[in-house]
Amino acid sequence: MAAKTWQITPTEALQEVLDNATNGDIIILAKGRYLGNFVISKQITLIGEENAIIDAQGRGHALQLKNSHITIENLTIINWGNDLTDQNSGIYSDQNAEQIVLRNNKLTGEGFGIWLQKANYIKVLNNIIQGSTLLRSADRGNGIQLSSVRNAEVKQNEIFHTRDGIYIISSQENILENNRMHDLRYGIHYMYSHDNQIVNNYAYNTRAGYALMSSKRLIVKGNVTYNSEDYGFLMNFITTSTISDNVIKDVWTKPENKVLGRDGKGLFVYNSAYNTISNNIVDTTEIGIHLTAGSENTQVYGNSFINNPTQVKYVSNKKQEWSFNEQGNYWSNYVGWDMNNDSIGDIIFEPNDGIDKLVWQYPEMKMLMDSPAVLILRWVQRQFPVLKPPGVKDSFPLMTSPHKKFIPRDVSVQINQTKDRDNLAVKDKE
């Protein structure tokens, strides 16, 4: 039987059309508002003309997918439920589905934007997902949630005012690329997911740009995080992964949120080992890189650490060499020289000493940092290296940064581009 194209208006019963369609049909929605919670159980393509709106009226899922080979395009989807326990979503699928394509949709709501579970070979492309600032961050759903998903392509989406932008759990062999996430908790949040790629994404105005947890063999390359409060990259129990060619800029805890031990960290590496951190820019963060809790056997080279008051905080008693094949890192506070003009400093760079470690253990010592006693202790450590505790050293510090000066993309321009979207929900209710 040949596939059929349906032309539907808001005066018609959309659910009946969805039920009566056959696999391969195309359903085109004319301009207008379609009220209800719709279930798609056939292998169809659902396309919206300009200003075709699915309005879930504040409850449940707006669209629930119960089959494979479903495409949703060019729809505006609003006002679904906010019950996170019931996983209320703009687009929801918990089936063992394949070949789901969600493209060029605009979603505005309080629950999850897109929830896909147990799916394979799916594409989430060029969607705009907006949460609600009327709710606390913890009470909002995530923009895109992938659970037990394989072979997903999540590309060129914009997500803001949700809890996390993209949340990935127990999902393997996926790629997240060229997504933009802002004004939320975590831009990208990984849990128990392996063999994934996170490439050329952009996160700003977050608590953490990228929160990577309990995952293996991640490729994290070419991403930007800008204006985060707590972390640029948070790595917790990450192993055999590559973190390269990323830009971390302006990670600083707001004064009103300051408490002892809460500092903005460009890279926070906790209980993570056998990783490579290379060719990244870490610029203007309270702590450039903080390693702790068994985070050894990590290669760190080719990075630029610029304008960070504390370049390194390394809490361990094992020696670490941060260079590879005679290439170290660029440190903006390095004061050595290069007599043979090979662009490598002649003096080893050691960012921390025993005094630093005492201050980490006893923060109240900060008030004594410029006292004669502390200055004498530091002089003694320099003169008698045997008294130095084990720590990080860079035997081949770079005299100049291998990167061009980072000028972040004009965030104000991006905000202007999304200004009309920020009030999507309000406009749709008018």
Side-chain angles (χ1 to χ4, degrees), residues 209-416:
Y210 304 86
L212 313 175
M213 303 183 185
S214 302
S215 301
K216 302 176 183 178
R217 298 182 299 276
L218 300 179
I219 295 174
V220 185
K221 184 174 182 179
N223 303 282
V224 172
T225 175
Y226 178 79
N227 195 30
S228 295
E229 183 164 2
D230 292 327
Y231 310 100
F233 283 80
L234 172 105
M235 299 169 61
N236 180 6
F237 200 56
I238 297 296
T239 57
T240 56
S241 295
T242 300
I243 316 298
S244 65
D245 302 295
N246 302 288
V247 174
I248 301 167
K249 181 82 165 71
D250 293 345
V251 184
W252 217 273
T253 301
K254 296 175 183 176
E256 61 269 25
N257 294 332
K258 271 287 186 186
V259 295
L260 190 62
R262 184 177 181 182
D263 301 294
K265 301 170 179 67
L267 285 158
F268 181 61
V269 187
Y270 182 91
N271 196 26
S272 298
Y274 302 100
N275 300 299
T276 298
I277 299 174
S278 63
N279 301 317
N280 304 285
I281 301 174
V282 184
D283 185 347
T284 315
T285 69
E286 289 181 272
I287 298 175
I289 180 169
H290 182 179
L291 281 84
T292 188
S295 298
E296 286 91 25
N297 298 300
T298 295
Q299 289 187 338
V300 181
Y301 65 91
N303 303 285
S304 294
F305 294 95
I306 304 168
N307 299 327
N308 309 300
T310 299
Q311 296 278 38
V312 177
K313 184 174 181 179
Y314 176 70
V315 184
S316 177
N317 289 319
K318 292 186 178 181
K319 295 180 179 180
Q320 292 289 304
E321 171 60 53
W322 280 7
S323 63
F324 179 70
N325 287 341
E326 299 188 356
Q327 181 189 18
N329 305 273
Y330 172 75
W331 309 91
S332 62
N333 61 332
Y334 177 65
V335 293
W337 52 84
D338 176 19
M339 296 295 290
N340 61 356
N341 294 317
D342 64 354
S343 299
I344 295 174
D346 296 339
I347 298 175
I348 292 172
F349 180 74
E350 295 177 287
N352 306 129
D353 59 19
I355 300 301
D356 292 322
K357 294 198 172 188
L358 281 172
V359 171
W360 299 337
Q361 285 183 282
Y362 308 103
E364 58 271 17
M365 272 191 61
K366 284 185 177 180
M367 66 182 65
L368 303 175
M369 292 302 288
D370 294 324
S371 70
V374 170
L375 295 176
I376 289 172
L377 281 173
R378 283 195 151 148
W379 180 84
V380 169
Q381 286 186 115
R382 288 194 298 270
Q383 302 306 311
F384 302 97
V386 71
L387 299 177
K388 285 185 180 180
V392 168
K393 71 173 181 177
D394 183 346
S395 298
F396 303 92
L398 304 177
M399 295 301 295
T400 58
S401 172
H403 306 94
K404 292 181 180 179
K405 183 178 179 182
F406 170 59
I407 302 175
R409 278 181 279 178
D410 190 342
V411 175
S412 64
V413 170
Q414 296 188 11
I415 292 174
N416 287 334

Side-chain angles (χ1 to χ4, degrees), residues 46-285:
L46 182 64
I47 301 175
E49 294 182 349
E50 188 175 0
N51 293 321
I53 300 169
I54 301 288
D55 185 345
Q57 303 179 89
R59 62 178 184 271
H61 310 304
L63 289 177
Q64 185 171 5
L65 315 185
K66 291 192 171 184
N67 210 324
S68 297
H69 300 277
I70 295 173
T71 297
I72 310 294
E73 286 189 19
N74 300 331
L75 285 174
T76 296
I77 302 170
I78 65 170
N79 201 23
W80 57 89
N82 61 9
D83 190 328
L84 303 186
T85 302
D86 286 342
Q87 303 167 1
N88 289 169
S89 306
I91 301 175
Y92 181 83
S93 172
D94 64 351
Q95 307 293 305
N96 289 311
E98 293 189 351
Q99 304 294 341
I100 301 294
V101 179
L102 310 176
R103 182 166 47 217
N104 297 331
N105 301 289
K106 297 179 181 179
L107 299 94
T108 303
E110 296 180 343
F112 298 92
I114 294 171
W115 179 297
L116 298 173
Q117 186 169 320
K118 303 176 185 176
N120 197 8
Y121 296 106
I122 60 176
K123 295 184 179 183
V124 183
L125 310 173
N126 200 38
N127 301 283
I128 299 169
I129 302 171
Q130 177 181 355
S132 172
T133 57
L134 300 177
L135 299 176
R136 296 183 313 150
S137 175
D139 295 331
R140 307 172 198 169
N142 300 315
I144 297 172
Q145 176 133 347
L146 303 182
S147 176
S148 300
V149 165
R150 282 185 178 270
N151 304 301
E153 295 181 24
V154 180
K155 298 181 179 181
Q156 296 180 320
N157 301 281
E158 180 179 3
I159 307 164
F160 54 104
H161 296 160
T162 60
R163 180 172 59 195
D164 295 342
I166 303 174
Y167 180 82
I168 314 289
I169 183 167
S170 301
S171 296
Q172 324 306 329
E173 299 172 345
N174 306 298
I175 181 167
L176 312 182
E177 186 173 3
N178 288 322
N179 299 286
R180 185 168 63 189
M181 302 142 295
H182 57 93
D183 299 286
L184 30 71
R185 185 181 69 164
Y186 301 157
I188 291 176
H189 188 179
Y190 263 88
M191 294 291 295
Y192 310 108
S193 299
H194 314 313
D195 301 295
N196 281 255
Q197 298 182 51
I198 306 102
V199 181
N200 295 337
N201 299 282
Y202 192 82
Y204 62 92
N205 297 349
T206 63
R207 284 187 58 189
Y210 304 86
L212 313 175
M213 303 183 185
S214 302
S215 301
K216 302 176 183 178
R217 298 182 299 276
L218 300 179
I219 295 174
V220 185
K221 184 174 182 179
N223 303 282
V224 172
T225 175
Y226 178 79
N227 195 30
S228 295
E229 183 164 2
D230 292 327
Y231 310 100
F233 283 80
L234 172 105
M235 299 169 61
N236 180 6
F237 200 56
I238 297 296
T239 57
T240 56
S241 295
T242 300
I243 316 298
S244 65
D245 302 295
N246 302 288
V247 174
I248 301 167
K249 181 82 165 71
D250 293 345
V251 184
W252 217 273
T253 301
K254 296 175 183 176
E256 61 269 25
N257 294 332
K258 271 287 186 186
V259 295
L260 190 62
R262 184 177 181 182
D263 301 294
K265 301 170 179 67
L267 285 158
F268 181 61
V269 187
Y270 182 91
N271 196 26
S272 298
Y274 302 100
N275 300 299
T276 298
I277 299 174
S278 63
N279 301 317
N280 304 285
I281 301 174
V282 184
D283 185 347
T284 315
T285 69

